[in-house]
Amino acid sequence: MLNVIEYIRHLGFRDGIPFDDFIKWGDVTAKGRQLERKDYGRGMLLYYLVTRFSPSRILEVGTGRGYSTTCMVQAMRRLEKGFKLITIDKDSYKKTKR
């Protein structure tokens, strides 16, 4: 069974996964919540998909703490083109006011 990094490389993303960056982004989004980020695979997969397909617009439903959003924005910045990312979360007030 392939792990996420092996799977992404299998798909053809050979540009080097900046694993340390994923850890840093995970730490930022978990800050103040006494949470340790353990699921970097989701962020890596989203990063890969954005760099692979180069969308100009992204809609994210269910923002949570923003880890996925952060990974997608970083991928779009890497592509150096204009983009629009919209996030929707029905509980955003509750999540930011803990």
Side-chain angles (χ1 to χ4, degrees), residues 37-74:
R37 169 78 53 203
K38 292 182 181 177
D39 181 19
Y40 299 105
R42 176 185 36 157
M44 290 177 163
L45 184 59
L46 290 169
Y47 185 92
Y48 163 76
L49 290 171
V50 169
T51 55
R52 171 73 167 88
F53 295 105
S54 186
S56 58
R57 294 177 298 195
I58 298 172
L59 171 64
E60 179 182 29
V61 179
T63 307
R65 290 183 303 247
Y67 179 66
S68 297
T69 305
T70 301
C71 293
M72 290 187 289
V73 166
Q74 294 299 329

